[in-house]
Amino acid sequence: MREQTIFWAPEVLPTVVPVAVSTSTLGQGPTSQPPFDLATGHVRRAADGWHAVLQIGSVEHRIWSKQPLTAGARYAAELPFDGDLETRAHAATRLWRVMNGRAPGPPFHRVPKQRRERLCAALRAAAAY
């Protein structure tokens, strides 16, 4: 049987990381962020933008962009302050970690409840600052 990749919109699956081409000069230099390796997964154009499922190590990472996803481009995560911010931030952190050669860490639902609550409180405090 043939497996088919399923693409999700970020408003439906909060672990999809919305990204945009980065125009920032922050973080550029000898240790700058590596670009997405779009060859590690599947990319699809849809009516709402570009979807990608990247297989990095043993983990699938899902990204979405209104702009075309281009190999070699630098991207920034766009995390809306909505009810799914914590989940999106966790997914973006996992993606950033593997792009930098680190272990991704546990999926969001596997983070202990107490730690998840502390992380949520820290994000709310940072957002209010």
Side-chain angles (χ1 to χ4, degrees), residues 13-15 59 86-87 90-91 94 105-114 116 119:
L13 183 66
T15 56
V59 180
E86 295 92 355
T87 307
H90 187 78
R94 292 183 80 214
F108 187 73
H109 65 277
R110 286 198 21 218
V111 175
K113 184 178 181 197
Q114 184 180 17
R116 203 169 43 239
L119 289 170

Side-chain angles (χ1 to χ4, degrees), residues 27-34 74 100:
Q28 293 183 2
T31 59
S32 66
Q33 182 69 35
R74 306 273 183 211
N100 286 283

Side-chain angles (χ1 to χ4, degrees), residues 7-93:
F7 296 91
W8 296 90
E11 59 271 8
V12 176
L13 183 66
T15 56
V16 175
V17 180
V19 297
V21 173
S22 177
T23 57
S24 173
T25 57
L26 293 173
Q28 293 183 2
T31 59
S32 66
Q33 182 69 35
F36 290 133
D37 183 3
L38 298 175
T40 65
H42 302 279
V43 178
R44 184 188 86 172
R45 183 178 183 186
D48 64 341
W50 293 79
H51 298 260
V53 178
L54 307 177
Q55 183 73 38
I56 306 173
S58 62
V59 180
E60 281 187 348
H61 299 273
R62 298 172 184 280
I63 60 174
W64 171 81
S65 177
K66 292 178 187 174
Q67 305 155 325
L69 295 169
T70 321
R74 306 273 183 211
Y75 291 92
E78 292 186 327
L79 304 177
F81 288 102
D82 61 8
D84 293 318
L85 174 67
E86 295 92 355
T87 307
R88 292 185 212 289
H90 187 78
T93 301

